[in-house]
C-alpha cells in the first residue's frame, strides 16, 4: 500500500495568517501517461463528513474559496490556506488514488490561535 | 444536486454481518466516470477506504477487508450496498457512502454510526 504521511499533526494559526500542510507519499503518484498527480485533499469539520477541496493535487473543487490552494508533484504535496478564517478550523486529509487501495494521510488538525 | 443517504442498523453483534445501504438521489448512477463506494472512520481516528462498485457491478476492495466485504449495486433502485461479515469491535466506526468521480471522492453521505457489541 502507498503510505501517506502528513505534517504537522496539528497546527494553530492566527486568523488572517497562512497555514500550510504537507503530505508525502511513499511512492510517486504522478501518472506519466496523463501527467496527473493522483492526489486529493479533504476538509472535515467537527461532526460533518469530509468535503472535497482539491483533486489532481491542484484542481479546486467548485465552491472552494480561493484562499485555499493545492500544490506539489510526485511524492511531495502542500495544502495552503492563505488567510485563515474561523470556518477553516477542521481536520484536513490528503488521499492518493493512484494505487489500490486508496489511502489517506493521518489528518492534520488546524486550530485558531 | 446529488445526495447520498446511508441507512442500516446502528448496532451489530460480534461475528454477524454488517449491512448498509446508500440511496442516491439527484444523479444517474450509470456514468462510466462514476464509482460508488464506502469509507469508514473509527471513533476519533482517520479515514479508511473500504471499496467501490461501478454501475455495471465491477468492484474494488481494500486488500485488508477483501475476504469479508462485498459491495453491490442496484441501479433500478438507485442504491448500492455494503456487506461486511464476521464483524468485531474493530469494525465499530462511522460509515460513509461516497461517489467517486474519476477516482476521487466528490460527494459524501452524512454518515451512519455502526457499533459492534453484544
Amino acid at each position: 500500500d502507498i503510505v501517506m504521511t502528513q505534517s504537522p499533526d496539528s497546527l494553530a494559526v492566527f486568523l488572517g495568517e497562512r497555514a500550510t500542510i504537507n503530505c508525502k507519499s511513499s511512492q510517486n503518484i504522478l501518472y506519466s501517461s496523463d501527467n496527473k498527480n493522483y492526489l486529493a485533499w479533504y476538509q472535515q469539520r467537527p461532526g460533518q463528513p469530509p468535503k472535497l477541496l482539491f483533486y489532481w493535487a491542484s484542481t479546486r473543487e467548485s465552491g472552494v474559496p480561493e484562499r485555499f490552494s493545492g500544490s506539489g508533484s510526485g511524492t511531495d504535496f502542500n495544502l495552503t490556506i492563505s488567510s485563515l478564517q474561523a470556518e477553516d478550523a477542521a481536520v484536513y486529509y490528503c488521499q492518493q488514488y493512484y494505487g489500490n487501495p486508496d489511502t489517506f494521510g493521518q489528518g492534520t488538525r488546524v486550530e485558531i490561535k | 444536486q446529488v445526495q447520498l443517504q446511508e441507512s442500516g442498523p446502528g448496532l451489530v453483534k460480534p461475528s454477524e454481518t454488517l449491512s448498509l445501504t446508500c440511496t442516491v438521489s439527484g444523479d444517474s448512477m450509470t456514468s462510466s466516470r462514476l464509482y460508488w463506494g464506502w469509507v469508514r472512520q473509527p471513533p476519533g481516528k482517520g479515514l479508511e477506504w473500504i471499496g467501490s462498485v461501478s454501475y455495471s457491478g465491477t468492484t474494488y476492495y481494500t486488500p485488508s477487508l477483501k475476504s469479508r466485504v462485498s459491495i453491490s449495486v442496484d441501479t433500478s433502485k438507485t442504491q448500492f450496498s455494503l456487506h461486511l461479515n464476521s464483524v468485531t469491535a474493530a469494525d465499530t466506526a462511522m460509515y460513509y457512502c461516497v461517489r467517486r468521480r474519476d477516482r476521487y471522492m466528490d460527494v459524501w453521505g452524512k454518515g451512519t454510526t455502526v457499533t459492534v457489541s453484544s
Side-chain angles (χ1 to χ4, degrees):
Chain A
D1 296 5
I2 298 175
V3 177
M4 306 300 289
T5 303
Q6 293 181 227
S7 60
D9 289 334
S10 65
L11 73 161
V13 179
F14 287 108
L15 290 173
E17 295 296 305
R18 177 185 298 263
T20 300
I21 300 168
N22 180 254
C23 173
K24 286 185 168 55
S25 57
S26 62
Q27 65 186 71
N28 182 33
I29 57 175
L30 171 63
Y31 193 34
S32 57
S33 68
D34 59 13
N35 201 37
K36 290 181 176 180
N37 289 283
Y38 281 49
L39 182 110
W41 287 97
Y42 301 88
Q43 174 194 63
Q44 187 175 31
R45 294 184 175 124
Q48 294 189 15
K51 171 190 171 185
L52 176 67
L53 297 178
F54 291 91
Y55 52 96
W56 306 130
S58 60
T59 302
R60 189 181 292 105
E61 175 70 336
S62 175
V64 174
E66 292 192 359
R67 64 180 179 274
F68 289 90
S69 62
S71 62
S73 185
T75 62
D76 199 1
F77 302 89
N78 287 321
L79 174 69
T80 300
I81 311 171
S82 61
S83 177
L84 192 75
Q85 303 300 303
E87 62 266 31
D88 301 333
V91 179
Y92 293 83
Y93 294 93
C94 60
Q95 175 229 347
Q96 67 78 23
Y97 46 96
Y98 180 95
N100 184 39
D102 290 10
T103 48
F104 292 88
Q106 80 276 18
T108 295
R109 183 177 303 277
V110 175
E111 299 173 327
I112 310 301
K113 190 182 287 186
Chain B
Q1 181 179 353
V2 62
Q3 291 186 316
L4 307 180
Q5 178 66 58
E6 304 88 350
S7 59
L11 181 65
V12 181
K13 290 182 168 58
S15 80
E16 296 191 345
T17 296
L18 179 163
S19 296
L20 298 174
T21 295
C22 183
T23 301
V24 180
S25 60
D27 189 25
S28 167
M29 296 187 74
T30 58
S31 166
S32 60
R33 292 179 64 193
L34 301 180
Y35 269 69
W36 307 90
W38 294 90
V39 174
R40 69 181 182 179
Q41 185 171 35
K45 295 189 177 180
L47 302 166
E48 179 183 25
W49 178 73
I50 299 171
S52 57
V53 63
S54 72
Y55 76 92
S56 62
T58 301
T59 54
Y60 295 92
Y61 302 125
T62 192
S64 64
L65 296 175
K66 190 172 183 179
S67 63
R68 298 196 291 130
V69 70
S70 173
I71 298 175
S72 59
V73 63
D74 186 338
T75 56
S76 67
K77 295 182 179 178
T78 64
Q79 291 179 336
F80 60 102
S81 298
L82 168 71
H83 300 281
L84 181 66
N85 59 38
S86 304
V87 297
T88 69
D91 295 309
T92 293
M94 178 74 77
Y95 285 76
Y96 297 101
C97 60
V98 300
R99 186 180 80 169
R100 298 189 71 187
R101 185 184 77 202
D102 294 334
R103 300 285 303 274
Y104 48 86
M105 303 173 204
D106 68 331
V107 181
W108 295 64
K110 293 181 179 179
T112 188
T113 299
V114 177
T115 301
V116 178
S117 175
S118 55

